[in-house]
Amino acid sequence: MKEKIRNLLENRKAILLAHNYQPPEIQDIADLCGDSLELSIKAAQTDAEVIVFCGVHFMAETASILSPDKTVLLPRKDAGCPMADMVTPDALKAKLDKPPYLPVVTYVNSTAAVKALSTICCTSANAIKVVNSLDASEILMIPDRNLAQYAASYTSKKIHVWDGYCPIHELLTPEDIKKAKQIYPDAVFLAHPECRPEVLALADNVLSTSGMIRFARESGNTTFIVGTEVGLLYALKKENPNKDFYPASSAMECPDMKKITLEDVAGSLEFMEGLVKVPENIQRPALKAVQRMVDLSLKK
Ligand code: 13P
Ligand code: SF4
């Protein structure tokens, strides 16, 4: 199956991008694994004609926003992100129609239609940089309340918080961390900014998924408690076979990130199924918000 996929990728002039939470067999066959920011940048820069996105729907949409002339395939169209659906264009419009009239920083975990109404996007890797780049003293951050509260603690700006959250990261409690620290007292606790503030307060470092991989690679520590979706453990262990990684909670499995199989990838490439195409009237304004973020992230 892996050989079939590699052949299909070559014949279609396609690139396979996979998020760090994808199942091991998908990560192993991908041209690039990464966090949302790295995958967005790669999607903007690739000269491949087809992008096969192994992740969830908003990630494939972001690739389509950045590369409107390319074919973007999501091998399972039903792989979504519940947090992205916690803000709709209508609900956002209703908020923006009333004072205070605020610039909107939108987490990439959002629909293209919501991005189209936004000032700038951000990811877990650059949220603080994005917030501090804006020439405004008050900002609305959507849809993740935890990421917004985390960014608020690193800025003098007033952050207005939307009440969305990731149901997977929300599962992690301070009690889970206290228990894990009792079992692994020398471990470094790494947390994703989608975790609740009371969990982030216990973290040694708050990082995006690829930020965790980089940190583990460079750290002198050998034991880590990982506060994010359990799929990341595979990438961590693969890069650092001599280090130990423990999930902060084994309940943190995102079912949407586990939907795509190798058979789905092969089928999608063979029959060009799972097309994700953002319509032009949404793509154009959404591109402004995504491109602004990408440009800021590439700036030293
Ligand atoms: P990263 O951008 O850190 O990879 O996170 C994406 C995501 O969906 C986290 O739940
Ligand atoms: Fe969405 Fe959470 Fe799954 Fe990430 S882990 S894709 S934020 S539901």
Side-chain angles (χ1 to χ4, degrees), residues 41-61:
I41 291 173
K42 187 71 187 177
Q45 292 173 340
T46 181
D47 53 13
E49 288 173 15
V50 177
I51 298 172
V52 184
F53 217 115
C54 292
V56 292
H57 195 265
F58 77 80
M59 295 180 175
E61 272 193 335

CSV table of all heavy atoms in Angstrom, one decimal, residues 41-61:
chain,number,residue,atom,x,y,z
A,41,ILE,N,2.8,27.0,5.9
A,41,ILE,CA,3.9,27.6,5.1
A,41,ILE,C,4.3,26.6,4.0
A,41,ILE,O,4.5,27.1,2.8
A,41,ILE,CB,5.1,27.8,6.1
A,41,ILE,CG1,4.7,29.0,7.0
A,41,ILE,CG2,6.4,28.1,5.3
A,41,ILE,CD1,5.7,29.3,8.1
A,42,LYS,N,4.3,25.3,4.2
A,42,LYS,CA,4.6,24.4,3.2
A,42,LYS,C,3.6,24.4,2.0
A,42,LYS,O,3.9,24.4,0.9
A,42,LYS,CB,4.8,23.0,3.7
A,42,LYS,CG,5.3,21.9,2.8
A,42,LYS,CD,6.8,22.1,2.5
A,42,LYS,CE,7.2,21.2,1.4
A,42,LYS,NZ,8.6,21.4,1.0
A,43,ALA,N,2.3,24.5,2.4
A,43,ALA,CA,1.3,24.6,1.4
A,43,ALA,C,1.4,25.8,0.6
A,43,ALA,O,1.1,25.8,-0.6
A,43,ALA,CB,-0.1,24.6,2.1
A,44,ALA,N,1.9,26.9,1.2
A,44,ALA,CA,2.1,28.1,0.4
A,44,ALA,C,3.3,28.0,-0.6
A,44,ALA,O,3.3,28.7,-1.6
A,44,ALA,CB,2.3,29.3,1.3
A,45,GLN,N,4.3,27.2,-0.2
A,45,GLN,CA,5.5,27.2,-1.0
A,45,GLN,C,5.7,26.1,-2.0
A,45,GLN,O,6.5,26.2,-2.9
A,45,GLN,CB,6.7,27.2,0.0
A,45,GLN,CG,6.8,28.4,0.9
A,45,GLN,CD,7.9,28.3,1.9
A,45,GLN,OE1,8.3,27.2,2.3
A,45,GLN,NE2,8.3,29.4,2.5
A,46,THR,N,4.9,25.0,-1.8
A,46,THR,CA,5.1,23.9,-2.7
A,46,THR,C,4.8,24.1,-4.2
A,46,THR,O,3.9,24.9,-4.5
A,46,THR,CB,4.3,22.7,-2.2
A,46,THR,OG1,4.6,21.6,-3.1
A,46,THR,CG2,2.8,22.9,-2.3
A,47,ASP,N,5.6,23.5,-5.1
A,47,ASP,CA,5.3,23.6,-6.5
A,47,ASP,C,4.5,22.4,-7.0
A,47,ASP,O,4.3,22.2,-8.2
A,47,ASP,CB,6.5,24.0,-7.3
A,47,ASP,CG,7.6,23.0,-7.1
A,47,ASP,OD1,7.4,22.0,-6.5
A,47,ASP,OD2,8.8,23.3,-7.5
A,48,ALA,N,4.2,21.5,-6.1
A,48,ALA,CA,3.4,20.3,-6.5
A,48,ALA,C,2.0,20.8,-7.0
A,48,ALA,O,1.5,21.8,-6.7
A,48,ALA,CB,3.2,19.4,-5.2
A,49,GLU,N,1.4,19.9,-7.9
A,49,GLU,CA,0.1,20.3,-8.5
A,49,GLU,C,-1.0,19.9,-7.6
A,49,GLU,O,-2.1,20.5,-7.6
A,49,GLU,CB,0.0,19.6,-9.8
A,49,GLU,CG,0.9,20.3,-10.9
A,49,GLU,CD,0.9,19.5,-12.2
A,49,GLU,OE1,0.0,18.7,-12.5
A,49,GLU,OE2,1.8,19.8,-13.0
A,50,VAL,N,-0.8,18.9,-6.8
A,50,VAL,CA,-1.8,18.3,-5.9
A,50,VAL,C,-1.3,18.3,-4.4
A,50,VAL,O,-0.1,17.8,-4.2
A,50,VAL,CB,-2.2,16.9,-6.3
A,50,VAL,CG1,-3.3,16.3,-5.4
A,50,VAL,CG2,-2.7,16.9,-7.8
A,51,ILE,N,-2.1,18.7,-3.5
A,51,ILE,CA,-1.7,18.6,-2.1
A,51,ILE,C,-2.7,17.6,-1.4
A,51,ILE,O,-3.9,17.8,-1.4
A,51,ILE,CB,-1.8,20.0,-1.3
A,51,ILE,CG1,-0.9,21.0,-2.0
A,51,ILE,CG2,-1.5,19.8,0.2
A,51,ILE,CD1,-1.0,22.4,-1.4
A,52,VAL,N,-2.1,16.5,-0.9
A,52,VAL,CA,-3.0,15.6,-0.2
A,52,VAL,C,-2.8,15.9,1.3
A,52,VAL,O,-1.7,15.8,1.8
A,52,VAL,CB,-2.6,14.1,-0.4
A,52,VAL,CG1,-3.5,13.1,0.3
A,52,VAL,CG2,-2.6,13.8,-1.9
A,53,PHE,N,-3.9,16.3,1.9
A,53,PHE,CA,-3.7,16.8,3.3
A,53,PHE,C,-4.3,15.7,4.3
A,53,PHE,O,-5.5,15.5,4.3
A,53,PHE,CB,-4.5,18.1,3.5
A,53,PHE,CG,-3.8,19.0,4.4
A,53,PHE,CD1,-3.2,20.2,4.0
A,53,PHE,CD2,-3.6,18.6,5.7
A,53,PHE,CE1,-2.5,21.0,4.8
A,53,PHE,CE2,-2.8,19.5,6.6
A,53,PHE,CZ,-2.3,20.6,6.1
A,54,CYS,N,-3.4,15.2,5.1
A,54,CYS,CA,-3.8,14.2,6.1
A,54,CYS,C,-3.9,15.0,7.4
A,54,CYS,O,-2.8,15.3,8.1
A,54,CYS,CB,-2.9,13.0,6.2
A,54,CYS,SG,-3.0,12.0,4.7
A,55,GLY,N,-5.1,15.4,7.7
A,55,GLY,CA,-5.3,16.2,8.9
A,55,GLY,C,-6.8,16.4,9.1
A,55,GLY,O,-7.5,15.4,8.8
A,56,VAL,N,-7.3,17.5,9.4
A,56,VAL,CA,-8.7,17.8,9.5
A,56,VAL,C,-9.1,18.9,8.5
A,56,VAL,O,-8.2,19.5,7.9
A,56,VAL,CB,-9.2,18.1,10.9
A,56,VAL,CG1,-9.0,16.8,11.8
A,56,VAL,CG2,-8.4,19.2,11.5
A,57,HIS,N,-10.4,19.1,8.3
A,57,HIS,CA,-11.0,19.9,7.2
A,57,HIS,C,-10.4,21.3,7.2
A,57,HIS,O,-10.0,21.8,6.1
A,57,HIS,CB,-12.5,19.9,7.3
A,57,HIS,CG,-13.2,20.4,6.1
A,57,HIS,ND1,-13.5,21.7,5.9
A,57,HIS,CD2,-13.5,19.8,4.9
A,57,HIS,CE1,-14.1,21.9,4.7
A,57,HIS,NE2,-14.0,20.7,4.1
A,58,PHE,N,-10.3,22.0,8.3
A,58,PHE,CA,-9.8,23.4,8.3
A,58,PHE,C,-8.4,23.4,7.7
A,58,PHE,O,-8.0,24.4,7.2
A,58,PHE,CB,-9.9,24.1,9.7
A,58,PHE,CG,-8.8,23.7,10.7
A,58,PHE,CD1,-7.6,24.3,10.6
A,58,PHE,CD2,-9.1,22.8,11.7
A,58,PHE,CE1,-6.6,23.9,11.6
A,58,PHE,CE2,-8.1,22.4,12.6
A,58,PHE,CZ,-6.9,23.0,12.5
A,59,MET,N,-7.6,22.4,7.9
A,59,MET,CA,-6.2,22.4,7.5
A,59,MET,C,-6.2,22.3,5.9
A,59,MET,O,-5.4,23.0,5.3
A,59,MET,CB,-5.4,21.2,8.1
A,59,MET,CG,-5.3,21.4,9.6
A,59,MET,SD,-4.4,20.0,10.3
A,59,MET,CE,-4.3,20.6,12.0
A,60,ALA,N,-7.0,21.5,5.4
A,60,ALA,CA,-7.1,21.4,3.9
A,60,ALA,C,-7.7,22.7,3.3
A,60,ALA,O,-7.2,23.1,2.3
A,60,ALA,CB,-8.0,20.2,3.5
A,61,GLU,N,-8.6,23.3,4.0
A,61,GLU,CA,-9.1,24.6,3.6
A,61,GLU,C,-8.0,25.6,3.5
A,61,GLU,O,-8.0,26.4,2.6
A,61,GLU,CB,-10.3,25.1,4.5
A,61,GLU,CG,-11.6,24.6,4.1
A,61,GLU,CD,-12.7,25.3,4.9
A,61,GLU,OE1,-12.5,25.9,6.0
A,61,GLU,OE2,-13.9,25.3,4.4
